[in-house]
Amino acid sequence: MRHVQDEDGGDGTAGGTAPAGGRAARGDVVPGNAQRVDRAAPAGRAAPVPIDLAAPAGLHEHLPHPATRPGLGALVAVLLSFAAAAGLYASFVGSGPALADGALLQDSLEIRSGGLTGLAVVVTNVGNTTSMAVLAVAVGAWCWYAGRRADAVLAVGAMAGGAALFRTLKEVLDRPRPPAALRLVEATNESLPSGHATMSIVVIGTVVVLAWAPRAATTRAALVSVAVVWVGAVGATRIYLGVHWFSDVVAGWLVGAAWLALCVALWSWWRTRHPEPALVE
């Protein structure tokens, strides 16, 4: 029979019965309970910390991915695709959000200042298409190194596809940007949709998706809040700096959201058929 050494040098019998009177002696292990039972410590001594004899669940294990729902993702992707098509059409013909283009550009001219312009330039440069591509590749490389191959493909594939998509749309729609005299930064290609808006929502949204599963509710709320603020700020700088119409930015957000939803739906479908263990961090 196994014995457990207590802190005073005595020993108790593991799995034995409690002494008469129904009270467990210090060091005894109550059957059916993984924790040691301690009596109150003598005056002047700190109470000993209970010892959990069972290893915490998951400490040396792989945690399974949460259940995915590719069908729901596909439905969201379809709905967002219709919204993106409507946004592009409205911007191209001058309806819907495009009705506010002139007024919002004029408002941006009126609030311009040296400090605000400097901040807008920093945000627009950090959130540009090149920076987003670098971030996506870095996230993809980290996921690949960690053995999360499907996640790595999502990070890099969503970014690359999003970049190809918005560039193709720009060439096809060939919408001119606001007048060059109003621009505070250089912009040479077509206006619709905004590449900054498209890429920011694709890449930042991908990061949120990949970080979602193991997080608590408060952390998830924080992730979404930060992502929304950042994506919104990047889009706003494009209007403030005079390089995009408001409707360009809205269309870019919708195109990016639709593409992200499609990529996530495919990623979810793949993971249901080729599950990968998620490493405990």
Side-chain angles (χ1 to χ4, degrees), residues 11-276:
D11 61 355
T13 302
T17 58
R23 298 182 61 189
R26 179 194 291 178
D28 285 350
V29 178
V30 178
N33 192 336
Q35 291 188 342
R36 150 185 258 173
V37 178
D38 291 291
R39 294 184 308 200
R45 288 186 54 189
V49 178
I51 301 174
D52 192 346
L53 300 181
L59 183 60
H60 305 295
E61 302 171 4
H62 290 297
L63 295 180
H65 282 296
T68 56
R69 293 183 288 178
L72 177 60
L75 176 60
V76 172
V78 170
L79 295 176
L80 286 173
S81 296
F82 280 115
L88 289 168
Y89 177 79
S91 302
F92 187 73
V93 302
S95 62
L99 297 176
D101 284 349
L104 290 176
L105 180 59
Q106 182 62 39
D107 290 343
S108 72
L109 298 177
E110 295 175 357
I111 65 172
R112 283 179 178 176
S113 66
L116 194 55
T117 297
L119 177 61
V121 170
V122 170
V123 172
T124 209
N125 287 337
V126 174
N128 66 20
T129 55
T130 301
S131 298
M132 291 296 98
V134 170
L135 175 59
V137 170
V139 171
W142 183 89
C143 288
W144 191 273
Y145 175 78
R148 298 166 55 178
R149 303 301 169 83
D151 295 354
V153 172
L154 173 65
V156 177
M159 175 275 297
L165 178 60
F166 85 75
R167 285 171 181 158
T168 300
L169 289 171
K170 279 178 177 289
E171 293 179 2
V172 171
L173 297 174
D174 195 24
R175 188 189 193 191
R177 292 180 182 267
L182 304 180
R183 304 176 199 168
L184 297 179
V185 293
E186 183 179 358
T188 57
N189 57 10
E190 300 81 9
S191 191
L192 179 67
S194 166
H196 280 64
T198 303
M199 290 292 281
S200 63
I201 201 167
V202 168
V203 175
I204 300 302
T206 299
V207 172
V208 172
V209 168
L210 295 179
W212 189 263
R215 311 300 171 195
T218 53
T219 304
R220 290 178 175 180
L223 281 171
V224 172
S225 298
V226 171
V228 169
V229 169
W230 177 252
V231 171
V234 170
T237 64
R238 307 307 287 166
I239 303 168
Y240 175 87
L241 295 171
V243 291
H244 273 296
W245 304 104
F246 169 67
S247 55
D248 296 336
V249 174
V250 173
W253 284 334
L254 291 172
V255 168
W259 175 250
L260 174 62
L262 176 60
C263 291
V264 171
L266 292 173
W267 169 75
S268 298
W269 173 82
W270 177 266
R271 288 204 321 176
T272 59
R273 287 155 178 76
H274 304 84
E276 296 175 354

